[in-house]
Structure formats: structure tokens, C-alpha cells
Amino acid sequence: MLSSHPPIQSSGIHRRPRAIRTWTAAIATPLSLLICLLVGGSASQRAAAAERLPNVVLIFIDDMGYEDIGPFGAEGIETPNLDAMAQQGRRFTDFVVSSAVCSASRAALMTGCYNRRLGISGAYGPGSKAGLNPNEMTIAELCKQKDYATAIYGKWHLGHLKPFLPLQHGFDEYFGLPYSNDMWPYHPDVLHLPMEQRVKRWPHLPLIEGNETINPQVSGEDQEQLTTQYTERAVSFIERNKDKPFFLYVPHSMVHVPLYVSEKFKGKSKRGLFGDVVMEVDWSVGQINAALKKNGIEDDTLVIFTSDNGPWLSYGDHAGVTSLREGKGTMFEGGYRVPTLMKWPGKIPAGTTCDQLASTIDILPTVAHLIGAELPKHKIDGKDIAPLMFDKEGQAKSPHEAFYCYYSGGELHAVRNDRWKLHFPHRYRTLAGKPGGTDGLPTNYQHTTIGLELFDLDNDVNETTNVIDQHPEVVAMLQKHAEAARNDLGDKLTKRPATGARPPGRVDK
């Protein structure tokens, strides 16, 4: 269902009915070309407009809860730039990630594949010898087919060794952290140890530019400047590449713990330090959108804002908020459903909401469609969601017949479609109603299990009521999809091998 959204009071997860609608050629026509045709521009102007390929800006937040920004019902945090982006574009209220943890989610985003297909699970640490396989095609490499300028400013987390860094995966420029900002000697798990023992577990955090470490020992004061530095470089990249198509990827280190914010936003929100950090991320979005407008390319640019997974709930007042069940580290809705906005003036209808199932794995094939690039020869799992982005009538439906919810090194925790979600028996972590920690120190999770349970997400998005006995035909249908997943990508819960998976990259040294 497509709807216009009011100024943003709640998460507003509205549902269906639905039918399919084809994306028309008129909507796909670049706005600049239409203007030239209408005003009778010169032949050279019309040719230039026709040849202009869209820019793509992808802003990726770390550990953001479903209700952490205004367009999804945030309280106590002002996000005027994201509010404006929602009013100028479309909210996606059923947008999910491949797996609710850092490296796995980012690998899927970059390649259009389930992380399980890539052999990547969990979060790579500074001792890892693995990374994204050079044989995989990233969005940056896809865009290089059309001579795009490409850059990443932020957290990479797909391998910190040189063969796996962004410049070896299609990016022209890179500045940022190679992995999570808590992977350093000030991690809560090692604070009780002397420094010489801490660095054996978590060495000092490096800041990298290109392929070189420019700061081998990032400090807290350095982290306070990261959001600003990523943003300044993004704006500079836009200004330097305004006359050619570009792909700009801004995977912020925030709002992952430990939280750091510049002086510009300290004490600005009603939600403490976490709210301050969100407000600075919102400022960053505003700076990027202002740069697009200033350089006259706003109408030629698709901007996507989303997150790698849900909130890290054990960190309490330093974590995000979700009304959905559980959070990061689980494949319940609070773990893998993320707040998502898309804006493209003249293409994506303004002030609207899409409640159809879509995913970060769909971004690569969608970009391929928009710029006329060839998909990789190997199998991918994402679908073209251009119809969901551009549909004006609310008739387009999700291209996913089923979506596989893998976690914990290859366990198939659930399978879902646009309405129904079937959980398989598995162990998961939970706070079980306890509050999270305070001041950057986490509370311990406990572990429990779920059985074979069916949820109707249209009517019970919080996954509270098991309706498995009422819908045996739905269970049978989803079980069939699960068997297809296991035959292809395996399942550690049922001891099935991943015959369709490819290996990650590895360096032996």
C-alpha cells in the first residue's frame, strides 16, 4: 500500500491490500530531459540531458533503532533534515537487512546477496584475516561500468587488510574506520585490564585514507570529529564531481557505541548523548542534500538513508529505540527491520509511504537497472525495486516471494513473505524486559529459545501472537521456501551444507 504520510507522529506501519503495477517509461525518463523537451532546448542540451545518468548517494547508519528519527516517530530528538527528506520522498516501513550484525549486513548491501551466500557472518575484528572476496561485485564496481566517480567516507567493516579495503572494491576514494569504533582498548570488556593486556585483545583503532593508515591510534577526541569529517569529505566529493555521475557511500560510524559527538551538538537533544549523536547525523544528511541542491544536481540524484541493523539494546540509554520485538543480534523485527527513506525529486513521489517488503540486498540490482549496468555473472539474491520507488498509485508489490532470515553463522532462524513470518526453533538473546545499561556500559543479555511459531506481520508486527495452528497452509508454504533456502544456502540448525555459498576472501600471513 502506498500512502501520503502526515507529519510524523508514530512509526505508522500500515498494511495492504495490493496489486502489481509496472514502472512506466515516462517515470524513468530523467527530469532534465523532460524539461529540455518541454522548453525546446537545443539539440546538444537535449543530448546532454538524455545522457546524464543519475547520481546515487547511500547514507548508512550503524545500529539505528526503528524509532530513532522523526519520520518514524522519534521522541526527544529533532531531525529536521530527515523530516524534510521524508516529506520530499518516500518512507519504506518494511525495509529489512540480510542479517542483524555489522559485517554480514554490509556485505549484503554492497553485493546484492544474502550474507550467507558470501560466506560472511558476524562482525570482523582487527585480528581477522578474512574479508569480502575480490570476485564479488560491489555497487561501486557496478557503477564503474558507466564511468562513475566513487567514494566511501565512513566505516567499511568488510576486511581491514589491504586486499579487502574499498580501493580494491571499486572505490576511488576512502576515508574512515576499517571496522567498528568499539574495537579498541577502551572496550567495556577490557577496561579492568592494564593497557598492555588490553591491546592484545583490542589493538588501537586506526583511521585509514586510501590504503594507508593516517592515524594509528584514534582517540575519543578524534572520534568526536568523525561525523563532521565524513560529511565534509562527502560535500567536497559532490562539488568535485558535479559534472559527472557519481556513487557516494557514507556509512557513518555512529550511532554505534561508544557514542561521540562534536561540540556543535553536545547537550542539544532531550535524549542525552544518544539524541545528540542522532541530531549530528541528521545535520550530516542536511549538508549532503544542501550540496546537491547548491550544485544543481538534486533532481539528478537518488538519495537513500537506511541502517545496518536495529539498536544494540543492552546499552540502554546509549542505544536506539524500537517498539518492535528485540534488537540487533536477532532476526526478530526489531533486529533486521530498519528505518529507510528515499528521495529523488521528480521521480519518487513526495511525502509518501511504501509498506511493501524490500531489503538492502535490492539496492545493487535496482541501481543496475537505473544506470543500465550489467549484473554480475554469479548469482545474486536482490531484486529490482524501482516499481516500489516510483509507483504513484500504490499498486506495485514486493518482488520477494520469500525472504530468508539467517543469523549466527548460518542458522536459518525464520522465513517470511510480505505478510507471514515463520520462526524455526532457535536460541536467541534478550533482555527479557530488563532495562539496558547506562553511560556506555551494557547490561548482560540472557538467552532463551523460540519454537516453531508463525506470526501475521500485517496484524501483529511485534510478533506477540503465535497463529501457527490457525494457518497450516501458510506454514506448509513457508516450510517449502525454507527447504529451498536450505538446499541452496544451508542451515546449521538442521546440519545442511551451503552448496550455493561462495567463500569469503582470505589472506594467510
Side-chain angles (χ1 to χ4, degrees), residues 179-485:
Y179 35 74
S180 296
N181 67 320
D182 68 335
M183 294 180 174
W184 67 338
Y186 306 99
H187 191 287
D189 288 350
V190 297
L191 285 177
H192 63 288
L193 299 174
M195 183 59 73
E196 60 268 21
Q197 293 185 37
R198 293 188 202 178
V199 295
K200 294 178 182 178
R201 168 76 184 278
W202 295 115
H204 290 292
L205 181 65
L207 180 66
I208 296 176
E209 184 164 16
N211 286 323
E212 304 300 323
T213 297
I214 60 172
N215 182 352
Q217 192 168 328
V218 171
S219 66
E221 290 78 11
D222 295 328
Q223 290 215 40
E224 290 180 354
Q225 300 306 313
L226 287 177
T227 300
T228 297
Q229 290 175 327
Y230 298 160
T231 305
E232 290 173 345
R233 288 173 181 257
V235 168
S236 172
F237 177 81
I238 291 168
E239 292 172 343
R240 289 183 282 115
N241 293 280
K242 63 184 178 182
D243 295 323
K244 67 175 296 184
F246 60 78
F247 170 55
L248 171 60
Y249 177 39
V250 187
H252 280 287
S253 297
M254 298 292 112
V255 295
H256 194 290
V257 291
L259 300 177
Y260 285 99
V261 69
S262 72
E263 289 292 337
K264 297 189 296 294
F265 289 93
K266 285 183 180 178
K268 296 295 185 182
S269 84
K270 298 177 182 178
R271 284 266 304 276
L273 180 57
F274 181 86
D276 298 346
V277 170
V278 173
M279 288 182 68
E280 187 159 40
V281 167
D282 176 79
W283 165 84
S284 175
V285 172
Q287 294 293 299
I288 290 170
N289 279 323
L292 296 172
K293 187 172 184 178
K294 175 185 174 182
N295 288 282
I297 54 176
E298 184 179 29
D299 291 350
D300 298 310
T301 305
L302 167 64
V303 181
I304 302 171
F305 176 96
T306 189
S307 177
D308 68 339
N309 47 246
W312 202 344
L313 296 175
S314 64
Y315 278 87
D317 63 0
H318 279 208
V321 170
T322 181
S323 62
L324 303 171
R325 184 170 176 178
E326 303 301 339
K328 173 182 178 175
T330 78
M331 295 305 286
F332 290 97
E333 295 299 297
Y336 83 128
R337 185 185 292 225
V338 290
T340 301
L341 303 172
M342 297 190 192
K343 174 180 76 78
W344 188 355
K347 308 290 196 308
I348 295 177
T352 55
T353 294
C354 175
D355 65 3
Q356 296 291 305
L357 171 63
S359 173
T360 52
I361 66 173
D362 300 329
I363 292 176
L364 182 143
T366 303
V367 170
H369 170 93
L370 293 174
I371 72 174
E374 293 186 9
L375 292 172
K377 303 298 184 187
H378 54 242
K379 184 175 182 178
I380 68 170
D381 303 291
K383 311 292 184 183
D384 176 14
I385 57 168
L388 298 183
M389 294 163 55
F390 300 110
D391 178 27
K392 292 183 178 180
E393 308 298 332
Q395 299 301 307
K397 65 177 292 187
S398 172
H400 291 282
E401 186 177 2
F403 191 89
Y404 308 147
C405 300
Y406 277 95
Y407 194 71
S408 192
E411 296 180 358
L412 183 62
H413 283 190
V415 170
R416 64 162 293 191
N417 62 15
D418 56 347
R419 177 177 178 180
W420 303 98
K421 184 176 181 184
L422 182 65
H423 278 270
F424 302 105
H426 67 268
R427 187 171 180 260
Y428 67 95
R429 70 185 193 184
T430 181
L431 291 179
K434 295 188 307 180
T438 58
D439 299 326
L441 297 176
T443 294
N444 290 329
Y445 287 102
Q446 65 184 60
H447 287 82
T448 188
T449 58
I450 186 173
L452 186 67
E453 298 190 19
L454 178 69
F455 300 101
D456 178 358
L457 298 179
D458 277 7
N459 298 295
D460 178 27
V461 72
N462 294 321
E463 299 170 282
T464 61
T465 304
N466 180 16
V467 294
I468 195 166
D469 292 336
Q470 294 94 306
H471 300 281
E473 73 290 349
V474 174
V475 174
M477 176 264 294
L478 292 176
Q479 288 276 29
K480 185 176 180 180
H481 286 303
E483 278 304 294

